[in-house]
Short mmCIF file of all heavy atoms in Angstrom, two decimals:
data_model
loop_
_atom_site.label_atom_id
_atom_site.label_comp_id
_atom_site.label_asym_id
_atom_site.label_seq_id
_atom_site.Cartn_x
_atom_site.Cartn_y
_atom_site.Cartn_z
N ARG J 561 137.70 -38.72 -6.49
CA ARG J 561 137.38 -37.43 -7.07
C ARG J 561 136.50 -37.60 -8.29
O ARG J 561 136.72 -38.50 -9.09
CB ARG J 561 138.68 -36.76 -7.47
CG ARG J 561 138.59 -35.30 -7.44
CD ARG J 561 139.93 -34.71 -7.64
NE ARG J 561 139.72 -33.70 -8.64
CZ ARG J 561 140.50 -32.72 -8.88
NH1 ARG J 561 141.65 -32.65 -8.25
NH2 ARG J 561 140.23 -31.82 -9.75
N THR J 562 135.53 -36.75 -8.45
CA THR J 562 134.62 -36.87 -9.57
C THR J 562 135.01 -35.94 -10.71
O THR J 562 135.64 -34.92 -10.49
CB THR J 562 133.17 -36.54 -9.14
OG1 THR J 562 133.13 -35.21 -8.64
CG2 THR J 562 132.70 -37.50 -8.07
N ALA J 563 134.62 -36.31 -11.89
CA ALA J 563 134.90 -35.49 -13.07
C ALA J 563 133.93 -34.32 -13.11
O ALA J 563 132.80 -34.40 -12.64
CB ALA J 563 134.76 -36.33 -14.33
N GLU J 564 134.38 -33.23 -13.67
CA GLU J 564 133.52 -32.06 -13.84
C GLU J 564 133.26 -31.86 -15.33
O GLU J 564 134.14 -32.08 -16.15
CB GLU J 564 134.20 -30.82 -13.28
CG GLU J 564 134.39 -30.87 -11.79
CD GLU J 564 135.07 -29.61 -11.26
OE1 GLU J 564 134.92 -28.55 -11.88
OE2 GLU J 564 135.76 -29.73 -10.25
N ILE J 565 132.07 -31.42 -15.63
CA ILE J 565 131.71 -31.10 -17.00
C ILE J 565 131.27 -29.65 -17.04
O ILE J 565 130.50 -29.20 -16.20
CB ILE J 565 130.56 -32.01 -17.50
CG1 ILE J 565 131.01 -33.46 -17.51
CG2 ILE J 565 130.09 -31.57 -18.88
CD1 ILE J 565 129.91 -34.44 -17.83
N SER J 566 131.81 -28.92 -17.99
CA SER J 566 131.40 -27.52 -18.13
C SER J 566 131.29 -27.16 -19.60
O SER J 566 131.96 -27.75 -20.43
CB SER J 566 132.39 -26.58 -17.42
OG SER J 566 133.68 -26.75 -17.93
N LYS J 567 130.44 -26.20 -19.88
CA LYS J 567 130.27 -25.72 -21.24
C LYS J 567 131.23 -24.58 -21.50
O LYS J 567 131.44 -23.74 -20.64
CB LYS J 567 128.84 -25.23 -21.46
CG LYS J 567 127.81 -26.33 -21.38
CD LYS J 567 126.44 -25.75 -21.61
CE LYS J 567 125.37 -26.79 -21.50
NZ LYS J 567 124.03 -26.25 -21.68
N VAL J 568 131.79 -24.56 -22.69
CA VAL J 568 132.67 -23.48 -23.11
C VAL J 568 131.91 -22.64 -24.14
O VAL J 568 131.48 -23.19 -25.16
CB VAL J 568 133.98 -24.02 -23.71
CG1 VAL J 568 134.86 -22.89 -24.22
CG2 VAL J 568 134.73 -24.88 -22.69
N PRO J 569 131.72 -21.37 -23.88
CA PRO J 569 130.97 -20.56 -24.84
C PRO J 569 131.77 -20.36 -26.14
O PRO J 569 132.98 -20.22 -26.12
CB PRO J 569 130.77 -19.22 -24.12
CG PRO J 569 131.85 -19.17 -23.09
CD PRO J 569 132.15 -20.59 -22.72
N VAL J 570 131.05 -20.38 -27.25
CA VAL J 570 131.68 -20.15 -28.55
C VAL J 570 131.61 -18.65 -28.84
O VAL J 570 130.54 -18.12 -29.05
CB VAL J 570 130.99 -20.95 -29.66
CG1 VAL J 570 131.63 -20.65 -31.01
CG2 VAL J 570 131.06 -22.44 -29.36
N THR J 571 132.76 -18.02 -28.80
CA THR J 571 132.85 -16.58 -29.04
C THR J 571 133.47 -16.33 -30.41
O THR J 571 134.07 -17.23 -31.01
CB THR J 571 133.72 -15.91 -27.97
OG1 THR J 571 135.05 -16.43 -28.07
CG2 THR J 571 133.17 -16.16 -26.56
N GLY J 572 133.35 -15.12 -30.88
CA GLY J 572 134.00 -14.75 -32.14
C GLY J 572 135.49 -14.94 -32.07
O GLY J 572 136.13 -15.37 -33.05
N ARG J 573 136.05 -14.62 -30.92
CA ARG J 573 137.51 -14.78 -30.75
C ARG J 573 137.93 -16.24 -30.84
O ARG J 573 138.94 -16.58 -31.44
CB ARG J 573 137.91 -14.19 -29.40
CG ARG J 573 139.38 -14.20 -29.15
CD ARG J 573 139.70 -13.53 -27.86
NE ARG J 573 141.13 -13.55 -27.63
CZ ARG J 573 141.73 -12.88 -26.72
NH1 ARG J 573 141.05 -12.09 -25.90
NH2 ARG J 573 143.03 -12.96 -26.58
N LEU J 574 137.13 -17.13 -30.23
CA LEU J 574 137.42 -18.57 -30.30
C LEU J 574 137.33 -19.05 -31.74
O LEU J 574 138.21 -19.79 -32.21
CB LEU J 574 136.44 -19.36 -29.42
CG LEU J 574 136.57 -20.87 -29.48
CD1 LEU J 574 137.93 -21.33 -28.98
CD2 LEU J 574 135.45 -21.54 -28.69
N VAL J 575 136.31 -18.64 -32.45
CA VAL J 575 136.15 -19.05 -33.85
C VAL J 575 137.34 -18.59 -34.67
O VAL J 575 137.94 -19.39 -35.41
CB VAL J 575 134.82 -18.49 -34.43
CG1 VAL J 575 134.76 -18.72 -35.94
CG2 VAL J 575 133.63 -19.13 -33.75
N THR J 576 137.70 -17.35 -34.54
CA THR J 576 138.81 -16.80 -35.32
C THR J 576 140.13 -17.51 -34.98
O THR J 576 140.91 -17.83 -35.87
CB THR J 576 138.95 -15.28 -35.06
OG1 THR J 576 137.72 -14.65 -35.42
CG2 THR J 576 140.08 -14.69 -35.87
N SER J 577 140.35 -17.75 -33.70
CA SER J 577 141.62 -18.39 -33.31
C SER J 577 141.69 -19.86 -33.70
O SER J 577 142.77 -20.44 -33.76
CB SER J 577 141.85 -18.22 -31.81
OG SER J 577 140.91 -18.96 -31.07
N SER J 578 140.54 -20.47 -33.98
CA SER J 578 140.55 -21.88 -34.35
C SER J 578 140.88 -22.10 -35.83
O SER J 578 141.21 -23.22 -36.23
CB SER J 578 139.20 -22.53 -34.03
OG SER J 578 138.20 -22.04 -34.88
N PHE J 579 140.84 -21.03 -36.64
CA PHE J 579 141.15 -21.17 -38.06
C PHE J 579 142.52 -21.80 -38.29
O PHE J 579 142.69 -22.61 -39.19
CB PHE J 579 141.10 -19.82 -38.77
CG PHE J 579 139.72 -19.22 -38.88
CD1 PHE J 579 139.57 -17.87 -39.15
CD2 PHE J 579 138.56 -19.99 -38.73
CE1 PHE J 579 138.31 -17.29 -39.26
CE2 PHE J 579 137.31 -19.42 -38.83
CZ PHE J 579 137.18 -18.07 -39.10
N GLN J 580 143.50 -21.41 -37.48
CA GLN J 580 144.86 -21.95 -37.65
C GLN J 580 144.89 -23.46 -37.45
O GLN J 580 145.72 -24.14 -38.05
CB GLN J 580 145.83 -21.27 -36.71
CG GLN J 580 145.55 -21.57 -35.24
CD GLN J 580 146.42 -20.76 -34.30
OE1 GLN J 580 146.77 -19.64 -34.59
NE2 GLN J 580 146.74 -21.35 -33.17
N MET J 581 144.00 -23.99 -36.63
CA MET J 581 143.94 -25.43 -36.40
C MET J 581 143.49 -26.18 -37.64
O MET J 581 143.96 -27.27 -37.94
CB MET J 581 143.00 -25.77 -35.23
CG MET J 581 143.38 -25.19 -33.92
SD MET J 581 144.89 -25.95 -33.31
CE MET J 581 145.24 -24.92 -31.92
N ILE J 582 142.56 -25.58 -38.38
CA ILE J 582 142.05 -26.19 -39.61
C ILE J 582 143.19 -26.36 -40.60
O ILE J 582 143.38 -27.44 -41.18
CB ILE J 582 140.92 -25.34 -40.22
CG1 ILE J 582 139.73 -25.29 -39.27
CG2 ILE J 582 140.51 -25.88 -41.58
CD1 ILE J 582 138.68 -24.26 -39.64
N VAL J 583 143.96 -25.31 -40.77
CA VAL J 583 145.06 -25.34 -41.73
C VAL J 583 146.20 -26.23 -41.26
O VAL J 583 146.71 -27.06 -42.01
CB VAL J 583 145.57 -23.90 -41.98
CG1 VAL J 583 146.82 -23.90 -42.86
CG2 VAL J 583 144.48 -23.03 -42.58
N ALA J 584 146.57 -26.09 -40.00
CA ALA J 584 147.73 -26.82 -39.48
C ALA J 584 147.52 -28.33 -39.41
O ALA J 584 148.46 -29.10 -39.58
CB ALA J 584 148.09 -26.29 -38.09
N HIS J 585 146.26 -28.75 -39.14
CA HIS J 585 146.03 -30.18 -38.88
C HIS J 585 145.05 -30.85 -39.83
O HIS J 585 144.71 -32.02 -39.63
CB HIS J 585 145.53 -30.35 -37.44
CG HIS J 585 146.46 -29.79 -36.42
ND1 HIS J 585 147.71 -30.34 -36.17
CD2 HIS J 585 146.36 -28.72 -35.60
CE1 HIS J 585 148.32 -29.64 -35.24
NE2 HIS J 585 147.53 -28.65 -34.88
N SER J 586 144.57 -30.13 -40.82
CA SER J 586 143.58 -30.68 -41.78
C SER J 586 142.38 -31.28 -41.06
O SER J 586 141.96 -32.40 -41.33
CB SER J 586 144.23 -31.73 -42.68
OG SER J 586 145.21 -31.15 -43.48
N ILE J 587 141.84 -30.52 -40.10
CA ILE J 587 140.65 -30.94 -39.39
C ILE J 587 139.50 -30.02 -39.77
O ILE J 587 139.72 -28.92 -40.29
CB ILE J 587 140.84 -30.96 -37.85
CG1 ILE J 587 141.29 -29.59 -37.32
CG2 ILE J 587 141.85 -32.05 -37.47
CD1 ILE J 587 141.46 -29.52 -35.82
N ASN J 588 138.27 -30.47 -39.53
CA ASN J 588 137.13 -29.63 -39.90
C ASN J 588 136.91 -28.53 -38.85
O ASN J 588 137.54 -28.51 -37.79
CB ASN J 588 135.88 -30.48 -40.12
CG ASN J 588 135.41 -31.19 -38.87
OD1 ASN J 588 135.33 -30.60 -37.79
ND2 ASN J 588 135.07 -32.45 -38.99
N ALA J 589 136.03 -27.62 -39.16
CA ALA J 589 135.81 -26.45 -38.32
C ALA J 589 135.31 -26.82 -36.92
O ALA J 589 135.73 -26.24 -35.91
CB ALA J 589 134.83 -25.49 -38.98
N THR J 590 134.41 -27.78 -36.84
CA THR J 590 133.90 -28.21 -35.52
C THR J 590 135.02 -28.78 -34.68
O THR J 590 135.15 -28.46 -33.50
CB THR J 590 132.77 -29.24 -35.70
OG1 THR J 590 131.74 -28.67 -36.51
CG2 THR J 590 132.20 -29.65 -34.38
N ASP J 591 135.83 -29.65 -35.27
CA ASP J 591 136.95 -30.22 -34.52
C ASP J 591 137.95 -29.15 -34.11
O ASP J 591 138.54 -29.21 -33.03
CB ASP J 591 137.66 -31.30 -35.35
CG ASP J 591 136.84 -32.58 -35.45
OD1 ASP J 591 135.86 -32.72 -34.69
OD2 ASP J 591 137.18 -33.42 -36.31
N ALA J 592 138.15 -28.14 -34.96
CA ALA J 592 139.06 -27.05 -34.62
C ALA J 592 138.55 -26.28 -33.42
O ALA J 592 139.33 -25.92 -32.53
CB ALA J 592 139.23 -26.12 -35.82
N LEU J 593 137.27 -26.04 -33.35
CA LEU J 593 136.68 -25.36 -32.18
C LEU J 593 136.83 -26.21 -30.93
O LEU J 593 137.17 -25.70 -29.86
CB LEU J 593 135.20 -25.05 -32.42
CG LEU J 593 134.91 -23.92 -33.36
CD1 LEU J 593 133.43 -23.89 -33.73
CD2 LEU J 593 135.33 -22.59 -32.76
N ILE J 594 136.57 -27.50 -31.07
CA ILE J 594 136.72 -28.41 -29.93
C ILE J 594 138.16 -28.41 -29.44
O ILE J 594 138.44 -28.31 -28.24
CB ILE J 594 136.27 -29.84 -30.30
CG1 ILE J 594 134.76 -29.87 -30.51
CG2 ILE J 594 136.72 -30.85 -29.25
CD1 ILE J 594 134.24 -31.13 -31.18
N LEU J 595 139.09 -28.52 -30.37
CA LEU J 595 140.51 -28.58 -30.00
C LEU J 595 140.96 -27.28 -29.35
O LEU J 595 141.62 -27.29 -28.30
CB LEU J 595 141.36 -28.89 -31.22
CG LEU J 595 142.87 -28.95 -31.00
CD1 LEU J 595 143.22 -29.95 -29.90
CD2 LEU J 595 143.59 -29.29 -32.29
N LYS J 596 140.62 -26.15 -29.94
CA LYS J 596 141.04 -24.86 -29.37
C LYS J 596 140.46 -24.68 -27.97
O LYS J 596 141.15 -24.22 -27.06
CB LYS J 596 140.60 -23.74 -30.31
CG LYS J 596 141.26 -22.45 -30.03
CD LYS J 596 142.74 -22.51 -30.34
CE LYS J 596 143.37 -21.15 -30.18
NZ LYS J 596 144.77 -21.14 -30.46
N SER J 597 139.20 -25.07 -27.79
CA SER J 597 138.56 -24.97 -26.48
C SER J 597 139.24 -25.90 -25.47
O SER J 597 139.50 -25.51 -24.33
CB SER J 597 137.08 -25.34 -26.57
OG SER J 597 136.39 -24.45 -27.42
N ALA J 598 139.48 -27.13 -25.89
CA ALA J 598 140.12 -28.10 -25.01
C ALA J 598 141.51 -27.65 -24.57
O ALA J 598 141.90 -27.81 -23.42
CB ALA J 598 140.19 -29.46 -25.70
N LEU J 599 142.26 -27.05 -25.49
CA LEU J 599 143.60 -26.58 -25.15
C LEU J 599 143.53 -25.46 -24.12
O LEU J 599 144.35 -25.40 -23.19
CB LEU J 599 144.32 -26.10 -26.41
CG LEU J 599 144.70 -27.19 -27.41
CD1 LEU J 599 145.19 -26.57 -28.70
CD2 LEU J 599 145.74 -28.13 -26.81
N ALA J 600 142.56 -24.57 -24.26
CA ALA J 600 142.40 -23.48 -23.29
C ALA J 600 142.01 -24.03 -21.92
O ALA J 600 142.56 -23.60 -20.88
CB ALA J 600 141.35 -22.49 -23.79
N VAL J 601 141.08 -24.97 -21.89
CA VAL J 601 140.67 -25.58 -20.62
C VAL J 601 141.84 -26.33 -20.00
O VAL J 601 142.08 -26.24 -18.79
CB VAL J 601 139.46 -26.51 -20.83
CG1 VAL J 601 139.17 -27.34 -19.58
CG2 VAL J 601 138.22 -25.71 -21.23
N ALA J 602 142.60 -27.05 -20.81
CA ALA J 602 143.75 -27.82 -20.30
C ALA J 602 144.78 -26.89 -19.66
O ALA J 602 145.35 -27.22 -18.60
CB ALA J 602 144.38 -28.63 -21.43
N ARG J 603 145.04 -25.75 -20.29
CA ARG J 603 145.99 -24.79 -19.69
C ARG J 603 145.53 -24.33 -18.32
O ARG J 603 146.33 -24.26 -17.37
CB ARG J 603 146.18 -23.59 -20.62
CG ARG J 603 147.20 -23.80 -21.70
CD ARG J 603 147.57 -22.50 -22.41
NE ARG J 603 146.43 -21.91 -23.10
CZ ARG J 603 145.99 -22.25 -24.29
NH1 ARG J 603 146.61 -23.21 -24.96
NH2 ARG J 603 144.95 -21.65 -24.84
N ARG J 604 144.25 -24.01 -18.21
CA ARG J 604 143.73 -23.56 -16.90
C ARG J 604 143.80 -24.67 -15.86
O ARG J 604 144.18 -24.42 -14.71
CB ARG J 604 142.29 -23.07 -17.06
CG ARG J 604 142.18 -21.73 -17.76
CD ARG J 604 140.81 -21.10 -17.59
NE ARG J 604 139.72 -21.91 -18.11
CZ ARG J 604 139.26 -21.86 -19.35
NH1 ARG J 604 139.81 -21.05 -20.23
NH2 ARG J 604 138.25 -22.62 -19.73
N LEU J 605 143.46 -25.88 -16.27
CA LEU J 605 143.50 -27.00 -15.33
C LEU J 605 144.92 -27.30 -14.87
O LEU J 605 145.17 -27.54 -13.69
CB LEU J 605 142.88 -28.25 -15.97
CG LEU J 605 141.37 -28.23 -16.13
CD1 LEU J 605 140.91 -29.43 -16.94
CD2 LEU J 605 140.67 -28.20 -14.78
N ARG J 606 145.86 -27.29 -15.80
CA ARG J 606 147.26 -27.57 -15.44
C ARG J 606 147.82 -26.52 -14.50
O ARG J 606 148.64 -26.85 -13.64
CB ARG J 606 148.10 -27.69 -16.71
CG ARG J 606 147.82 -28.96 -17.47
CD ARG J 606 148.64 -29.07 -18.72
NE ARG J 606 148.26 -30.27 -19.45
CZ ARG J 606 148.25 -30.37 -20.75
NH1 ARG J 606 148.60 -29.32 -21.51
NH2 ARG J 606 147.88 -31.49 -21.34
N ALA J 607 147.37 -25.30 -14.65
CA ALA J 607 147.83 -24.22 -13.76
C ALA J 607 147.41 -24.48 -12.32
O ALA J 607 148.07 -24.04 -11.38
CB ALA J 607 147.31 -22.87 -14.24
N SER J 608 146.33 -25.24 -12.14
CA SER J 608 145.84 -25.55 -10.79
C SER J 608 146.19 -26.97 -10.37
O SER J 608 145.68 -27.47 -9.35
CB SER J 608 144.33 -25.33 -10.70
OG SER J 608 143.65 -26.25 -11.52
N GLY J 609 147.05 -27.65 -11.15
CA GLY J 609 147.51 -28.98 -10.77
C GLY J 609 146.64 -30.11 -11.28
O GLY J 609 146.87 -31.26 -10.92
N ASP J 610 145.67 -29.82 -12.11
CA ASP J 610 144.80 -30.85 -12.70
C ASP J 610 145.16 -31.04 -14.17
O ASP J 610 146.10 -30.44 -14.68
CB ASP J 610 143.33 -30.46 -12.58
CG ASP J 610 142.82 -30.57 -11.16
OD1 ASP J 610 143.20 -31.53 -10.47
OD2 ASP J 610 142.04 -29.69 -10.74
N ASP J 611 144.41 -31.88 -14.86
CA ASP J 611 144.66 -32.10 -16.27
C ASP J 611 143.34 -32.41 -16.97
O ASP J 611 142.32 -32.65 -16.33
CB ASP J 611 145.63 -33.25 -16.47
CG ASP J 611 146.42 -33.12 -17.77
OD1 ASP J 611 146.13 -32.23 -18.58
OD2 ASP J 611 147.36 -33.93 -17.96
N LEU J 612 143.38 -32.39 -18.27
CA LEU J 612 142.21 -32.66 -19.10
C LEU J 612 142.46 -33.92 -19.92
O LEU J 612 143.56 -34.09 -20.45
CB LEU J 612 141.95 -31.48 -20.06
CG LEU J 612 140.83 -31.69 -21.07
CD1 LEU J 612 139.49 -31.50 -20.37
CD2 LEU J 612 140.97 -30.72 -22.23
N VAL J 613 141.46 -34.77 -20.01
CA VAL J 613 141.54 -35.94 -20.86
C VAL J 613 140.56 -35.72 -22.00
O VAL J 613 139.36 -35.55 -21.78
CB VAL J 613 141.17 -37.23 -20.08
CG1 VAL J 613 141.15 -38.43 -21.01
CG2 VAL J 613 142.12 -37.44 -18.93
N LEU J 614 141.08 -35.67 -23.21
CA LEU J 614 140.24 -35.52 -24.40
C LEU J 614 139.93 -36.91 -24.94
O LEU J 614 140.83 -37.67 -25.26
CB LEU J 614 140.97 -34.70 -25.47
CG LEU J 614 140.24 -34.52 -26.80
CD1 LEU J 614 138.94 -33.75 -26.61
CD2 LEU J 614 141.14 -33.80 -27.80
N VAL J 615 138.65 -37.23 -25.02
CA VAL J 615 138.21 -38.53 -25.54
C VAL J 615 137.47 -38.27 -26.84
O VAL J 615 136.54 -37.48 -26.90
CB VAL J 615 137.28 -39.23 -24.53
CG1 VAL J 615 136.78 -40.56 -25.08
CG2 VAL J 615 137.97 -39.41 -23.19
N ALA J 616 137.93 -38.95 -27.90
CA ALA J 616 137.30 -38.76 -29.22
C ALA J 616 137.57 -40.01 -30.04
O ALA J 616 138.54 -40.74 -29.81
CB ALA J 616 137.87 -37.54 -29.92
N SER J 617 136.71 -40.26 -31.02
CA SER J 617 136.94 -41.37 -31.93
C SER J 617 137.58 -40.90 -33.23
O SER J 617 138.04 -41.71 -34.03
CB SER J 617 135.62 -42.08 -32.25
OG SER J 617 134.71 -41.20 -32.86
N ASP J 618 137.66 -39.59 -33.43
CA ASP J 618 138.23 -39.01 -34.64
C ASP J 618 139.75 -39.00 -34.52
O ASP J 618 140.32 -38.26 -33.71
CB ASP J 618 137.69 -37.60 -34.83
CG ASP J 618 138.13 -36.98 -36.14
OD1 ASP J 618 139.36 -36.94 -36.40
OD2 ASP J 618 137.26 -36.50 -36.89
N GLN J 619 140.41 -39.81 -35.31
CA GLN J 619 141.87 -39.94 -35.21
C GLN J 619 142.61 -38.67 -35.59
O GLN J 619 143.64 -38.35 -35.00
CB GLN J 619 142.36 -41.12 -36.08
CG GLN J 619 141.90 -42.46 -35.55
CD GLN J 619 142.34 -42.71 -34.13
OE1 GLN J 619 143.52 -42.61 -33.80
NE2 GLN J 619 141.40 -43.03 -33.26
N ARG J 620 142.10 -37.91 -36.56
CA ARG J 620 142.74 -36.65 -36.92
C ARG J 620 142.69 -35.66 -35.76
O ARG J 620 143.66 -34.96 -35.49
CB ARG J 620 142.12 -36.04 -38.17
CG ARG J 620 142.60 -36.70 -39.44
CD ARG J 620 142.13 -35.95 -40.66
NE ARG J 620 140.66 -36.03 -40.71
CZ ARG J 620 139.91 -35.45 -41.60
NH1 ARG J 620 140.45 -34.68 -42.53
NH2 ARG J 620 138.61 -35.58 -41.59
N LEU J 621 141.56 -35.60 -35.09
CA LEU J 621 141.42 -34.72 -33.93
C LEU J 621 142.39 -35.14 -32.83
O LEU J 621 143.08 -34.30 -32.24
CB LEU J 621 139.99 -34.72 -33.42
CG LEU J 621 139.73 -33.93 -32.14
CD1 LEU J 621 140.14 -32.47 -32.26
CD2 LEU J 621 138.26 -34.04 -31.74
N LEU J 622 142.47 -36.41 -32.57
CA LEU J 622 143.39 -36.89 -31.52
C LEU J 622 144.86 -36.64 -31.87
O LEU J 622 145.64 -36.23 -31.01
CB LEU J 622 143.15 -38.40 -31.26
CG LEU J 622 141.80 -38.72 -30.64
CD1 LEU J 622 141.60 -40.24 -30.60
CD2 LEU J 622 141.67 -38.13 -29.25
N ARG J 623 145.22 -36.83 -33.12
CA ARG J 623 146.59 -36.54 -33.55
C ARG J 623 146.89 -35.05 -33.42
O ARG J 623 147.98 -34.66 -32.96
CB ARG J 623 146.84 -37.01 -34.98
CG ARG J 623 147.15 -38.49 -35.10
CD ARG J 623 147.69 -38.86 -36.48
NE ARG J 623 146.75 -38.56 -37.57
CZ ARG J 623 145.79 -39.39 -37.96
NH1 ARG J 623 145.63 -40.58 -37.39
NH2 ARG J 623 144.96 -39.04 -38.95
N ALA J 624 145.94 -34.23 -33.80
CA ALA J 624 146.12 -32.78 -33.68
C ALA J 624 146.30 -32.39 -32.22
O ALA J 624 147.17 -31.58 -31.87
CB ALA J 624 144.93 -32.04 -34.30
N ALA J 625 145.50 -32.98 -31.34
CA ALA J 625 145.60 -32.68 -29.91
C ALA J 625 146.97 -33.09 -29.37
O ALA J 625 147.59 -32.36 -28.59
CB ALA J 625 144.48 -33.39 -29.15
N GLN J 626 147.45 -34.24 -29.78
CA GLN J 626 148.77 -34.68 -29.32
C GLN J 626 149.87 -33.76 -29.82
O GLN J 626 150.83 -33.48 -29.11
CB GLN J 626 149.03 -36.12 -29.77
CG GLN J 626 148.19 -37.12 -29.03
CD GLN J 626 148.34 -38.52 -29.58
OE1 GLN J 626 148.65 -38.71 -30.76
NE2 GLN J 626 148.11 -39.51 -28.74
N THR J 627 149.72 -33.29 -31.04
CA THR J 627 150.72 -32.38 -31.61
C THR J 627 150.74 -31.05 -30.88
O THR J 627 151.80 -30.49 -30.61
CB THR J 627 150.42 -32.14 -33.12
OG1 THR J 627 150.46 -33.38 -33.79
CG2 THR J 627 151.41 -31.18 -33.73
N GLU J 628 149.57 -30.56 -30.53
CA GLU J 628 149.46 -29.26 -29.87
C GLU J 628 149.82 -29.32 -28.40
O GLU J 628 150.15 -28.31 -27.80
CB GLU J 628 148.02 -28.72 -30.01
CG GLU J 628 147.65 -28.31 -31.41
CD GLU J 628 148.38 -27.07 -31.87
OE1 GLU J 628 148.70 -26.19 -31.05
OE2 GLU J 628 148.64 -26.97 -33.09
N ASP J 629 149.75 -30.50 -27.82
CA ASP J 629 150.00 -30.63 -26.36
C ASP J 629 151.41 -30.36 -26.00
O ASP J 629 152.38 -30.64 -26.40
CB ASP J 629 149.58 -32.03 -25.91
CG ASP J 629 149.65 -32.18 -24.42
OD1 ASP J 629 149.49 -31.17 -23.71
OD2 ASP J 629 149.85 -33.30 -23.95
#
């Protein structure tokens, strides 16, 4: 099976909902958007029996993702 890549649009709602990630995990705004988007994609994938693998070199982002998972 091959991996799929898709773009997630940045909406006002996504931006607003990512604010809590900045406060909760001490991550920057870009990482908060990435994390919030990844969590939404992961939920959709898990509902269909798949999963998402988040690959990053930023340890704070990875810790935040593990906490939210």
Side-chain angles (χ1 to χ4, degrees):
R561 208 172 133 161
T562 59
E564 294 180 29
I565 297 174
S566 58
K567 293 180 182 178
V568 176
V570 178
T571 63
R573 184 176 180 169
L574 175 63
V575 171
T576 302
S577 67
S578 69
F579 292 161
Q580 66 187 33
M581 299 291 172
I582 296 169
V583 174
H585 303 292
S586 296
I587 57 178
N588 64 46
T590 303
D591 288 346
L593 286 169
I594 291 167
L595 179 55
K596 195 67 175 180
S597 299
L599 292 170
V601 170
R603 275 192 298 278
R604 288 195 300 271
L605 288 172
R606 288 179 183 145
S608 66
D610 288 320
D611 208 352
L612 175 77
V613 176
L614 177 63
V615 178
S617 60
D618 186 306
Q619 293 302 307
R620 281 189 296 176
L621 175 57
L622 292 173
R623 279 193 299 274
Q626 289 174 333
T627 301
E628 291 290 329
D629 187 27

